[in-house]
Structure formats: C-alpha cells, structure tokens
Amino acid sequence: MLELNYRVTPDPDVVITELEGKEAVLLHLGTKMYFTLNETGLRIWQMLSSGLTAGEISEIIQNEFDVLPEKARESVLNLIHELIREKLVKVVDG
C-alpha cells in the first residue's frame, strides 16, 4: 500500500493531451492504452509530474477543491494506485 511520503513519476512513454484545462487524455505509447483524467485527476497528474509526494499533493487538493483531508488523501492515493496499475507512472521513492 502506498503511503503519503511516496513519490511517483510519469512513465517516459506516456504522453498527455489536455482538453481545455478541465480534463486530459494519457496515452502510453508502449502499450497503446489510453486513460482519461477529470479536472481533479489532471491537477494531481500535474503535481506528480513536478515531483511532489502524495502527501504534499493531498494537502494542495484539500485546499484547492475544498474537501476534507481524508477525502483528499483517499482521492490522491486511489488515483496513484490506478496509474501504477496501468503502468502510467513509476514509484521513485518513499
């Protein structure tokens, strides 16, 4: 199970296309699979790409989207788990 101190990075074979800043499509060039992100998912992806930990991202999501800390943590960790499962990101440290 991932913890809040984990840091992940996008797989180098993943390209992203943002759609009006409200959502995005990720395409893994190796697997030819695509994945869509909603506005919150896109914001989480942007922060993962900048090297923030899951905990740091959770705090920002809590403030930007005005959600409870537990909900922010759950949302961030669930998305990260899904991105790992789909091979769109790799765990760097934690």
Side-chain angles (χ1 to χ4, degrees), residues 3 14 17 28 30 42 51 59 72:
E3 299 296 329
V14 174
T17 300
H28 192 293
L42 172 57
E59 288 181 25

Side-chain angles (χ1 to χ4, degrees), residues 40-81:
T40 307
L42 172 57
R43 186 68 181 112
I44 293 169
W45 178 269
Q46 291 166 339
M47 290 185 279
L48 289 173
S49 299
S50 69
L52 296 178
T53 65
E56 292 167 331
I57 294 169
S58 294
E59 288 181 25
I60 294 168
I61 291 297
Q62 176 188 341
N63 293 322
E64 286 185 4
F65 291 90
D66 194 28
V67 295
L68 295 173
E70 304 82 38
K71 180 64 176 165
R73 279 193 299 275
E74 178 185 333
S75 296
V76 169
L77 292 176
N78 285 344
L79 179 59
I80 291 173
H81 282 119

